[in-house]
Amino acid sequence: MSAKLVIVGAAGRMGQRLVTLASEIDGLQLVGAVDRADHPQMGQDAGTVARIDAQGVALTPDFPQEADVLIDFSLPEGATRTIDYCKSNKVALVMGTTGLNDAQKAEVTAAADVVPVIYGTNMGVGMNVLFAIVGKVAAMLGQDYDIEIIEQHHRFKKDAPSGSALSLAESICEEIGKDLNDSLVHGREGKDALRQPGEIGMHAVRAGDIVGKHQVIYSTLGETVTVSHTAHSRDVFVRGALLGAQWLAGKEPGMYTMREVLGI
Ligand code: NAD
């Protein structure tokens, strides 16, 4: 039986690909395509918006009465509404929107008491492998290696640094027992910007149509180790999110990870 799927942010870059690729999956049935009320294509068929065949589901600001799983790739402004809907209607939640503030992240965590939840800043296989190894690399190399993270994205991306870059930093801090907030230094400028031991430098590049590139640099006197990932297409994240949605529908309430979905 197909899981009934709602997509939030359905008219966006990610949302359109979600609508398109979901239409190719037998195990998912699109029942809701939600976007902000003042979107210029409001009321049009979600398939038409995504430039594929009509799907019989209109772009709407309202959530459907009944659904099994929801994928949100929109903006943080709508997060609370999405979370409240999932809790009230017992709909599994795949939250892919990045840039959530601490209160919104706490709401996502609390939702896991009521429904099954995946909250992932990056739903792709490759980046989840990176999340799994970057801390181990830091631990193996030891304290004398300076760690810097550089992320690159397209000129339209609103939040910085990227959610994935923050997750990389979190994974490193978790593994080597550092406090994330005390360790991160965002960009550097000025006459007194000397690197301090133990800090993790974070740098965000915004240019053109770069889909997503992340580098973790570990450097000491004499050598540099670099772990990097380049996304060529948004579809890697979209496929991951759809896989996550299928996996999550019908699970017990709780917080699950893409690493569990992918078995890594
Ligand atoms: P986009 O700007 O192209 O699309 C966002 C869509 O959300 C738009 O259609 C917009 O109208 C809609 N929207 C805005 N406010 C809304 C609200 N309150 N309610 C409902 N819809 C609303 O952006 P995008 O490139 O598609 O990215 C969307 C999000 O997905 C971003 O947060 C981005 O960082 C994130 N993202 C996550 C991953 C991942 O793997 N987790 C990968 C890529 C992008």
Side-chain angles (χ1 to χ4, degrees), residues 8-15 34-36 39 72-79 81 95-99 120-124 154 156-157 159 164 234 237-238:
V8 182
R13 281 176 289 263
M14 298 294 290
V34 178
D35 211 286
R36 60 188 163 82
H39 193 282
D72 188 318
F73 276 78
S74 61
L75 289 181
E77 290 86 300
R81 201 170 155 246
M95 178 57 86
T97 297
T98 63
T121 55
N122 193 305
M123 307 271 175
H154 50 89
F156 306 106
K157 184 165 179 61
D159 55 321
S164 304
R234 289 190 172 81
F237 314 124
V238 171

Side-chain angles (χ1 to χ4, degrees), residues 74-200:
S74 61
L75 289 181
E77 290 86 300
T80 300
R81 201 170 155 246
T82 291
I83 293 163
D84 288 348
Y85 165 76
C86 287
K87 281 166 49 182
S88 307
N89 294 275
K90 300 285 179 288
V91 177
L93 169 63
V94 178
M95 178 57 86
T97 297
T98 63
L100 300 189
N101 63 30
D102 287 345
Q104 290 162 332
K105 284 182 193 168
E107 286 176 31
V108 175
T109 306
D113 291 338
V114 185
V115 291
V117 177
I118 294 173
Y119 172 42
T121 55
N122 193 305
M123 307 271 175
V125 177
M127 189 57 86
N128 277 280
V129 170
L130 250 64
F131 293 153
I133 65 169
V134 286
K136 291 192 172 64
V137 175
M140 281 187 219
L141 290 172
Q143 289 179 2
D144 200 38
Y145 284 71
D146 301 327
I147 302 174
E148 300 275 314
I149 299 173
I150 305 174
E151 58 98 340
Q152 303 180 29
H153 283 88
H154 50 89
R155 62 168 71 147
F156 306 106
K157 184 165 179 61
K158 283 198 169 165
D159 55 321
S162 70
S164 304
L166 287 170
S167 296
L168 288 168
E170 267 165 24
S171 303
I172 292 168
C173 286
E174 227 167 77
E175 184 79 25
I176 61 177
K178 267 178 185 289
D179 182 82
L180 179 71
N181 294 325
D182 290 350
S183 309
L184 277 188
V185 173
H186 296 275
R188 288 193 187 85
E189 66 165 1
K191 293 193 172 110
D192 192 15
L194 192 66
R195 174 178 236 289
Q196 299 302 313
E199 66 187 34
I200 298 180

